[in-house]
Amino acid sequence: MVTPGGRIRVLPPAIADAIAAGEVVERPASVVKELVENALDAGARQVRVEVAEGGRASIRVSDDGGGMTPDELRVAFGRHATSKVASLEDLSRIATLGFRGEALASIGAVARVEAVSRRPGQAAAARVVVTAATVEGPWPDGAPAGTSLTVTELFATTPARRAFLRPARSEALACARVVADCALAAPDVAVELHSEGRRVLRAPGSGVLLDAVRAVFGAGAARGCWPVAEPGDAFDVVGVVGGPGVARGDRAGLVLFVNGRRVQQRSLQAAVENAYRGLLGTGRHPLAVLDLRCDPEGVDVNVHPTKREVRFRDERGAYAALERACWAALRRTGGAATLQLGPPAAAGASSGSAPSGARPVVGPRPEAAVAARPGPALEWPAATPSAAGLPLAEAAGWRLVGQLHHRYLVAETEDGLALVDQHAAHERVLYTRLRERLERRDTADGRALPVSEGTGAAQGWLIPELVELPAPLVAGLPQAAGTLARLGIVLEAFGDTTVRCTASPSGVRPSDVARLVAELVDEALTERPDGGVMRVHRLAALLACHTAVRFGDALAPAAAERLLRDLAATPAPLTCPHGRPTVIRLGDAELRRAFGRPAG
Amino acid sequence: MTPAVAQYRQAKAEHPDAIVLFRLGDFFEIFGPDAERAAPILQVALTARDFGRTGKLPMCGVPHHSVDAHLKRLLDHGCTVAVCDQLEPAALARGVVRRAVTRVLTPGTLVDADLLEPGRSQRCVALWAEDGVTGVAALDVSTGDCLLAEVPGGLDGPQLVSELERLDAAELLLSEEAEAPAGLAPGALRSRRGPELFAAEPAVARLRQRVGSSELVAAGVGGWHAAQVAAGALLGYCAGGRLSLPSGFLRVRAQAPEETMLLDPATRRNLELVEASGPGGPSLLRLLDRTRTPGGARRLRSWVQGPLRQLAAIAARQAALAELQQARGPRAELRAGLAGCRDLERLVGRCIQRLAGPRDLAALRQTLVRVPQVAEAAAPLAAPLVATARTTLAAVPADLASVLERALVEDPPPTARDGGFIRPGYDPELDRIRAGSEAARRYIADLERVERERTQIRSLKVGFNRVFGYYLEVPNSHRQPLPPDYVRKQTLVGAERYLTPQLKEQETIVLSARDRAAVREQACLEQLWAQVEDRAAALTAAAEALACLDALQSLAEVADDLGWAHPVVDDSTRLEIQDGRHPLVEAALGPGRFVPNDIGLDGAGARIVLLTGPNMAGKSTYLRQVATITLLAHLGAAVPARSARIGLVDRIFTRVGAHDELAAGRSTFMVEMAEMAAILSAATPRSLLVLDEIGRGTSTYDGLSIAQAILEYLHDHPAVAARTVFATHYHELTALAGSLRALRNHRVEVVEEGEGPGARVTFLHRIVPGGADRSYGIHVAELAGLPRAVVRRAQVLLEDLEAERRLPSDESPPRQLALPLAVAHPVVAELKALELDGMTPLAALQKLAEWQVRARGDEPVE
Ligand SMILES: Nc1ncnc2c1ncn2[C@@H]1O[C@H](COP(=O)(O)OP(=O)(O)OP(=O)(O)O)[C@@H](O)[C@H]1O
Ligand SMILES: Nc1ncnc2c1ncn2[C@@H]1O[C@H](COP(=O)(O)OP(=O)(O)OP(=O)(O)O)[C@@H](O)[C@H]1O
Ligand SMILES: [Mg+2]
Ligand SMILES: [Mg+2]
């Protein structure tokens, strides 16, 4: 039978009324979701999504799927127009992501849509333009086989809803999540997201879920995951589960599908988290990507307008299957015995080679983790407050336990322990003081600071130090003397390649003065393209590094305590001026996990 | 003449063909004709300056602290530069600052790491023609890599330029007596030297001195006399430029002609191999380059410059790439390991040349530390190319890294000049010297306090000046007697200066210790150089292995990223591509916009595609796409297509677009025909020809005739029976399909709606069988924004012209090609129709005279 819309037909009211209706398009991300799902339904091998200004300016989704004829293209934007459902019975065995015939109509009602589509056998593509639910076209066009839709002017005619949109960055993130979900749902489809002209995600479409996980969560996370393939009577569970080492502070890593459809169902999430009980501390959530597969008749997807939840004929069976599969996978892989240290940036552990089945090895390897990230991996917002740069006020309350190998300070924290790199921490403290001093105008007269209390202040020397410097530096000394004096270093030329240093900050060893002075003078005199903007930073970092306690120095308890307190008071205590971490914290959760104790 | 002017004159006299940069204060100044040449290149203002008796001279200048950037620009423009610097800081100079030429830089002989382009070999190429061959020697003085080749023909031979481009020559060395090679881009630097440098016997001897004849034989160049002469000349040239090329430094290799494809300059340009044609767009190389190391970037560049010609070599790369493309985990590890590696090949070269500074050695150390990590990352991969590279990396002696670790401080200075780069504890002798001077230094430093106490003169000062070193200064206001060991040296207005024997003694210790420590550190550095040199073979092999792995992972990364497929390359003469794309056009259009197209050629069947279609339809894109995919397949790489099968191609020829070489004295059409002539003489049945609008640069009839003749020639002559794609706007040519068996018509599809002005034409960019009959040029002109009046008028003229042309050919639909050239002159028709019988001789003579007039001038009668 040939209908005017080809394979797409408008559902009769009886069927249309049986479909859960509601608002389909809430924000750019919902547009992206609907369009990408259509692409997957159309059998695409490649789906490319481009968003500009988080989708507020434009969204473009192109696929290489089956496409539409010119007639179908015109009809597709009508309400209840679908090729996926024809009868009421169809509604009870839905195997496609779409079934309402709503999405394109809803999008066409609130935005301008340009659609270009070509079925593989046809010579010409067809193009239509939809504005305010009115379809113009089709016109012939040249395009690759498949479909591409460009959505602009979203909510242009409904300013109230446009006003509700979040800033571009948040909308872009929401779009990214949607695309990531699709990449994880269909690892055999190459899925790309370009945001503001930059590609931010690409899953290779290799058919290997771990490749998609690597693309979405990064190489480190992929290394900490194990495959799950648990067949059952009514339910099969396939996917990957992450060990405790790659657990997260939010639920963004808990990605669940039912027959390939992304669901946000509390009960199913609970099933997975239950399986992890005892492995993760409070506030930690697993990384797990799982598809629960069953006969389409056993699940009703037609319950929620945005399809976020489904209803099972056997709800408990679904729950049990999911929990059992996760539990078994986690026990089998021995994931419970691993421990992950380090700040989230270094979340990639292990030097193991093949991710499949291999046991992750403990220990962060930041360079590898960073470099191995294929392009920019998705940046989820950090949910734990452990990201570098946040204040560490609570550290003031830590109790010093002692010093380890003359290198680290060990402290008892509220719920665990902290290890402090004494050199890095002291560097941060000194750096902060030195910067303040350099930036303060009132000491800019070039006088040396008075010999005073704490570390970093100038100390006059009974016996001055003679320092060898290259002649050009000595010649330039008058220019640099003022700046250096503010840092507590007093110099005068003493020969054409020698300077006499009569005061330097305490903490500088005599054996080190030569090197330090040479570097400081060099730095103070070097012409930089930035015109010296970064000079204060570089000088302070240089001096801090030279004057801080060494890795390997014994520290008196009082000095160690002071260091902890001083560190807590600096504005960016978690890294040294060179960007290395100063503190590693192990909370109750990590410790319990490491010892295999149930979470408290 | 001021002394500075004299210094300048001398520098210029020593380096007459170089641009002399002369240091004056904070600037490097350029004078005279040099300034006129340099100012536009450097984009600085040209001024004038009084210059001794010569009067005013043009001048320009650049700040001394940014001189390197400016040097680079001059070198990039093929200039030789001599830098005349101050030998001492102006502040310290007594009298006139001494100046001399400290560096002479030519684009092909740079050793400064800052001036070298990391991703590109720097080859200085010498040419020497004798007995019908041209010897080519290409030396990269930054690595010691010395490539020899022999090219048939003299300096005017057709292949020479292609060879020079494949070698990526940065500088060309020629005898003053030799002609310049034909077809060379005008920008390239040609350095000329007297014929004595090329004298055969001394030149070969110069080469043999550094490279044994057995080594030459082993490299396969033992019998290449011309190339050896060229190499010897090159060595002489480098020696003249004070470049040290120690004997172990040169690694001689032969450029084997059967291994890689020679691409002529036009093809390299048309396919945008290493340089994009438009500003902003990427070249093919840039699209492919995801390397992490300079060595890898150079390797990839050389691969792209010389596609493979042998199936086995192609298969080996394909195997490695296919595996790497799949193994995403190991590839990520490999990339991470490579990212920490530095330019190993050049670092080793700098050590052998004794140019490596402490910081270079630290870079070497860092790389050596990474080598095991790279080897480990490659461990799961089995492809022979990768496995061999891994074995090579595993064989790098581990001791060197630990020696460097012990010897060098954490973050050493770039140069050895100021010392302080050897770690305490590495060299006992150095430690002793350093400790010895320490006591003396303390003595001097403490002297002020000690002497104040001894003399009770609170205002006593210890000072230093250059004339007599350290001294004690006592103001005249003092009352106390001075100790007896004070020796007066100098009297000032308000003070006296003294020495003591002990002060002098300690000063000597300090000063001599400084010198001795410097000497000792230098000795340590030399030892380290020697240790590197001892392991040069293993290190150079490791550098090659790293470069190879890096280039491989780069290609795999791109293929995975862009969704490319591995083609079948075999010894058939097929050329089959399904859903092929042009990688650069596709990248420019953005995802999901490029329309893929197929091709199916077979040397034994449909061998020539004649492609017609409107302007802007995508003909040129299609042509370049076919050539680019073929080229990529011969790199062993994946191609932008769903699948492809490509029979081995020996050369790819392209004739795309027209461009002027007015500088070379050749017009557009002349260039086109010269390139075409070269193609027709060099193509073989294994070649791929991609010809775009041949003949368009001349009058329609001339062009059409040439195009048809070329097609027929390609079709009928077995020697040039190459696979060919031929795009044209001469729709008349489509009729050839009737007579040329191996020719197929294809066209780029368009959809036209409406008629006449206001008609809409939509380009589908799809290649389909069949010929086109219209060009829609006016439509494109309208799209391009030509004034409406012009467009309308053109439409009218076109309709007239078409009406005229349609008349004669209307009857026969599968119209035989009616070349307008063959249309008989109207006189012929009259002649045929003439009734001779009723004519007087006089009338006949008059008729004859009239015809002659018309035939000569073609003027209308009456
Ligand atoms: N990318 C595409 N490729 C091929 N056909 C498509 C594509 N997008 C939409 N269609 C056709 O248009 C029809 C309407 O799409 P629409 O998204 O509005 O409804 P649906 O997918 O059937 O149901 P739902 O509203 O649940 O998404 C689809 O049934 C399908 O036949
Ligand atoms: N396969 C394709 N898919 C999408 N766009 C294409 C394709 N081929 C060409 N184009 C677009 O069409 C433009 C014109 O292509 P091209 O220069 O190849 O046309 P042409 O037929 O050679 O025109 P002319 O006869 O004027 O030389 C290209 O710049 C590109 O933007
Ligand atoms: Mg849909
Ligand atoms: Mg063209």
Side-chain angles (χ1 to χ4, degrees), chain B residues 89-421:
Chain B
L92 300 183
R94 285 162 238 175
V96 184
V97 185
R98 287 180 297 130
R99 294 185 180 86
V101 172
T102 52
R103 300 198 276 175
V104 181
L105 305 168
T106 77
T109 60
L110 300 174
V111 289
D112 306 54
D114 295 342
L115 295 176
L116 282 166
E117 219 171 295
R120 187 172 173 183
S121 301
Q122 177 211 228
R123 297 209 175 98
C124 187
V125 179
L127 299 179
W128 176 248
E130 63 181 24
D131 305 335
V133 293
T134 302
V136 181
L139 173 64
D140 184 338
V141 296
S142 72
T143 62
D145 183 37
C146 182
L147 203 53
L148 300 193
E150 288 207 340
V151 180
L155 289 172
D156 53 353
Q159 274 184 36
L160 192 57
V161 185
S162 305
E163 186 62 70
L164 291 176
E165 295 221 5
R166 170 162 68 181
L167 289 170
D168 221 353
E171 181 178 352
L172 203 56
L173 177 66
L174 289 167
S175 160
E176 265 160 12
E177 291 171 350
E179 60 197 306
L184 195 66
L189 174 72
R190 280 155 258 193
S191 300
R192 297 286 193 169
R193 285 295 179 271
E196 46 311 332
L197 193 66
F198 290 83
E201 251 175 62
V204 172
R206 227 176 284 138
L207 176 67
R208 295 265 163 93
Q209 223 180 334
R210 287 195 182 70
V211 187
S213 38
S214 61
E215 234 174 291
L216 292 176
V217 172
V221 301
W224 291 3
H225 186 258
Q228 291 190 17
V229 173
L234 201 49
L235 293 179
Y237 178 65
C238 290
R242 285 175 246 140
L243 269 179
S244 97
L245 302 172
S247 49
F249 180 61
L250 291 187
R251 288 175 285 131
V252 173
R253 298 189 288 142
Q255 173 91 295
E258 67 285 357
E259 276 173 14
T260 57
M261 220 185 262
L262 207 53
L263 298 170
D264 53 277
T267 298
R268 299 159 42 91
R269 196 173 54 236
N270 293 334
L271 301 186
E272 302 179 75
L273 226 50
V274 295
E275 248 165 73
S277 59
S283 64
L284 187 63
L285 177 62
R286 238 187 72 204
L287 187 82
L288 296 176
D289 191 349
R290 307 270 180 103
T291 58
R292 317 294 313 255
T293 67
R298 291 198 294 274
R299 176 61 56 95
L300 185 65
R301 190 180 170 103
S302 81
W303 284 1
V304 171
Q305 307 259 44
L308 299 170
R309 288 184 57 183
Q310 289 166 339
L311 282 180
I314 294 173
R317 268 197 218 153
Q318 281 185 331
L321 289 173
E323 188 182 22
L324 269 167
Q325 191 172 339
Q326 291 306 312
R328 294 182 179 83
R331 196 172 76 228
E333 303 285 335
L334 191 61
R335 286 172 61 77
L338 287 167
C341 293
R342 310 285 295 276
D343 198 339
L344 186 56
E345 189 187 20
R346 283 187 177 160
L347 288 170
V348 173
R350 291 176 69 73
C351 286
I352 299 178
Q353 283 176 295
R354 307 303 192 234
L355 293 169
R359 193 165 286 170
D360 291 327
L361 286 171
L364 183 63
R365 173 177 68 186
Q366 180 192 333
T367 308
L368 290 174
V369 169
R370 287 300 182 119
V371 161
Q373 189 188 334
V374 174
E376 190 196 329
L381 303 167
L385 271 188
V386 178
T388 314
R390 199 177 83 82
T391 318
T392 309
L393 291 181
V396 172
D399 58 339
L400 189 58
S402 61
V403 167
L404 291 171
E405 191 61 52
R406 274 194 298 115
L408 293 171
V409 298
E410 190 62 31
D411 183 16
T415 68
R417 194 189 52 204
D418 303 328
F421 53 88

Side-chain angles (χ1 to χ4, degrees), chain B residues 74 100 390 526 576 660 662 708 756:
Chain B
L74 290 171
R390 199 177 83 82
E526 277 161 23
E576 291 164 6
D660 294 328
L662 297 179
Q708 179 173 354

Side-chain angles (χ1 to χ4, degrees), chain B residues 285-542:
Chain B
L285 177 62
R286 238 187 72 204
L287 187 82
L288 296 176
D289 191 349
R290 307 270 180 103
T291 58
R292 317 294 313 255
T293 67
R298 291 198 294 274
R299 176 61 56 95
L300 185 65
R301 190 180 170 103
S302 81
W303 284 1
V304 171
Q305 307 259 44
L308 299 170
R309 288 184 57 183
Q310 289 166 339
L311 282 180
I314 294 173
R317 268 197 218 153
Q318 281 185 331
L321 289 173
E323 188 182 22
L324 269 167
Q325 191 172 339
Q326 291 306 312
R328 294 182 179 83
R331 196 172 76 228
E333 303 285 335
L334 191 61
R335 286 172 61 77
L338 287 167
C341 293
R342 310 285 295 276
D343 198 339
L344 186 56
E345 189 187 20
R346 283 187 177 160
L347 288 170
V348 173
R350 291 176 69 73
C351 286
I352 299 178
Q353 283 176 295
R354 307 303 192 234
L355 293 169
R359 193 165 286 170
D360 291 327
L361 286 171
L364 183 63
R365 173 177 68 186
Q366 180 192 333
T367 308
L368 290 174
V369 169
R370 287 300 182 119
V371 161
Q373 189 188 334
V374 174
E376 190 196 329
L381 303 167
L385 271 188
V386 178
T388 314
R390 199 177 83 82
T391 318
T392 309
L393 291 181
V396 172
D399 58 339
L400 189 58
S402 61
V403 167
L404 291 171
E405 191 61 52
R406 274 194 298 115
L408 293 171
V409 298
E410 190 62 31
D411 183 16
T415 68
R417 194 189 52 204
D418 303 328
F421 53 88
I422 296 291
R423 247 191 231 283
Y426 171 69
D427 182 58
E429 174 67 21
L430 181 63
D431 288 348
R432 255 197 308 284
I433 298 171
R434 283 175 175 166
S437 78
E438 198 48 40
R441 295 154 60 83
R442 301 231 141 262
Y443 170 84
I444 296 175
D446 198 22
L447 192 63
E448 199 169 271
R449 185 184 61 82
V450 172
E451 292 301 311
R452 279 181 189 174
E453 261 171 32
R454 178 152 79 113
T455 60
Q456 291 302 312
I457 303 172
R458 308 228 53 196
S459 51
L460 179 146
K461 271 171 45 183
V462 175
F464 181 93
N465 74 21
R466 219 169 308 135
V467 186
F468 44 80
Y470 291 100
Y471 56 79
L472 296 153
E473 185 174 300
V474 182
N476 294 339
S477 54
H478 80 93
R479 304 264 159 258
Q480 301 85 338
L482 289 172
D485 56 341
Y486 272 43
V487 181
R488 185 163 56 226
K489 246 345 217 198
Q490 195 184 11
T491 305
L492 306 179
V493 179
E496 303 272 356
R497 285 179 177 173
Y498 301 89
L499 303 177
T500 69
Q502 204 189 354
L503 175 57
K504 281 294 110 180
E505 198 177 296
Q506 298 295 329
E507 182 184 315
T508 314
I509 294 176
V510 170
L511 293 180
S512 78
R514 186 201 297 162
D515 295 344
R516 279 189 297 140
V519 169
R520 191 64 205 166
E521 282 203 77
Q522 183 66 33
C524 291
L525 183 65
E526 277 161 23
Q527 267 173 25
L528 292 174
W529 285 338
Q531 297 199 42
V532 174
E533 186 174 3
D534 288 345
R535 295 161 183 78
L539 292 174
T540 308

Side-chain angles (χ1 to χ4, degrees), chain B residues 589 593-595 597 614-621 693 729 765:
Chain B
L589 288 178
R593 291 174 177 87
F594 191 89
V595 182
N597 276 302
N615 291 107
M616 275 297 283
K619 297 182 299 298
S620 304
T621 306
E693 297 190 36
H729 282 294
H765 304 306

Side-chain angles (χ1 to χ4, degrees), chain A residues 7-300:
Chain A
R7 295 156 309 145
I8 303 180
R9 54 201 91 200
V10 176
L11 295 176
I15 307 179
D17 290 346
I19 289 173
E23 199 175 20
V24 173
V25 185
E26 297 165 335
R27 57 191 301 195
S30 8
V31 174
V32 171
K33 173 170 183 287
E34 294 298 338
L35 297 185
V36 175
E37 289 188 349
N38 279 349
L40 296 179
D41 278 347
R45 312 297 306 162
Q46 297 202 19
V47 180
R48 272 97 161 227
V49 183
E50 295 156 87
V51 297
E53 291 175 30
R56 302 168 52 136
S58 80
I59 298 168
R60 185 169 189 275
V61 176
S62 45
D63 66 56
D64 62 350
M68 288 173 269
T69 63
D71 290 338
E72 288 170 346
L73 191 57
R74 222 184 38 238
V75 174
F77 286 86
R79 300 214 53 188
H80 310 301
T82 179
S83 59
K84 301 168 191 175
V85 171
S87 64
L88 269 180
E89 297 80 75
D90 286 348
L91 275 182
S92 63
R93 43 166 192 255
I94 293 166
T96 47
L97 296 168
F99 55 84
R100 303 157 307 181
E102 262 307 302
L104 291 186
S106 310
I107 298 169
V110 295
R112 179 184 192 276
V113 184
E114 180 176 325
V116 179
S117 190
R118 171 158 82 83
R119 292 186 59 75
Q122 293 173 322
R127 187 167 66 90
V128 297
V129 173
V130 186
T131 27
T134 319
V135 183
E136 285 177 81
W139 302 286
D141 202 1
T147 305
S148 68
L149 284 106
T150 310
V151 178
T152 49
E153 299 167 25
L154 183 60
F155 300 141
T157 53
T158 47
R161 298 182 65 185
R162 194 164 173 87
F164 266 99
L165 293 182
R166 314 266 306 276
R169 278 194 40 211
S170 327
E171 294 296 350
L173 190 66
C175 293
R177 286 180 187 239
V178 167
V179 176
D181 285 347
C182 291
L184 295 168
D188 54 340
V189 179
V191 178
E192 280 182 24
L193 171 65
H194 300 249
S195 180
E196 319 307 337
R198 249 189 51 213
R199 200 182 67 198
V200 292
L201 173 71
R202 177 183 157 92
S206 59
V208 179
L209 180 58
L210 265 177
D211 285 337
V213 169
R214 182 180 301 111
V216 171
F217 294 105
R223 275 194 222 106
C225 288
W226 296 275
V228 177
E230 200 77 15
D233 296 338
F235 296 97
D236 299 341
V237 180
V238 296
V240 300
V241 290
V246 294
R248 313 170 51 93
D250 56 19
R251 287 209 173 81
L254 188 47
V255 183
L256 301 180
F257 303 97
V258 173
N259 289 339
R261 180 190 309 284
R262 178 78 160 101
V263 292
Q264 310 264 1
Q265 202 142 339
R266 268 305 300 149
S267 65
L268 296 184
Q269 292 177 348
V272 176
E273 297 201 322
N274 228 5
Y276 275 83
R277 176 165 295 165
L279 293 180
L280 306 179
T282 40
R284 307 295 290 167
H285 301 277
L287 174 71
V289 180
L290 295 164
D291 189 11
L292 186 62
R293 295 181 185 167
C294 61
D295 184 344
E297 307 222 5
V299 53
D300 184 3

